[in-house]
Amino acid sequence: RDIRSGCVFLAVNEADTAVGTVTIRENEILRLFVLPEYQGMGYGKMLLDFAEGKVAQQFDTVIVDASLPAKSLYLKRNYRETAYHQLPTENGDYLCYDVMEKASVHH
């Protein structure tokens, strides 16, 4: 559905290889991923900069669901926690994430 509605964006490197993706739905940044072999090369920052810029064109705040490994990245970018969620999984484990928000910078 998101692909059909045009809110999924793909990052490709200079060799035209897809290296990451981000989904933007209104003022929410969803599913920001970079393939493991391309992590640490700046693609995640590029995708997040792009997504924040798109959101800032129409909205005053940016919202993101942050996994624990990604939380420090968002804190460094001036996001603040607004909620915490724990979702039980089928195997008895939990999926935990923070909802984080920051004021968008209008361009």
Side-chain angles (χ1 to χ4, degrees):
R1 185 184 78 207
D2 287 335
I3 292 171
R4 281 193 305 274
S5 69
C7 63
V8 177
F9 300 90
L10 193 62
V12 294
N13 66 9
E14 43 298 326
D16 270 347
T17 302
V19 298
T21 184
V22 65
T23 301
I24 305 166
R25 194 179 304 139
E26 297 185 358
N27 69 327
E28 191 170 6
I29 297 172
L30 307 162
R31 298 187 302 267
L32 192 155
F33 295 110
V34 174
L35 290 172
E37 59 268 33
Y38 296 100
Q39 292 176 3
M41 300 178 172
Y43 293 111
K45 179 186 183 314
M46 180 187 73
L47 282 165
L48 189 52
D49 288 346
F50 169 80
E52 288 178 351
K54 292 286 277 184
V55 169
Q57 292 173 4
Q58 296 182 331
F59 299 95
D60 292 331
T61 58
V62 183
I63 297 171
V64 65
D65 291 345
S67 64
L68 185 57
K71 185 175 178 177
S72 66
L73 166 77
Y74 294 113
L75 289 170
K76 289 175 189 170
R77 291 180 68 114
N78 298 317
Y79 284 81
R80 61 181 176 79
E81 304 151 342
T82 59
Y84 176 76
H85 295 279
Q86 298 177 28
L87 302 175
T89 64
E90 291 178 9
N91 67 359
D93 207 349
Y94 288 87
L95 174 64
C96 303
Y97 65 95
D98 289 294
V99 178
M100 301 184 79
E101 176 178 311
K102 78 171 185 176
S104 65
V105 179
H106 292 282
H107 298 324

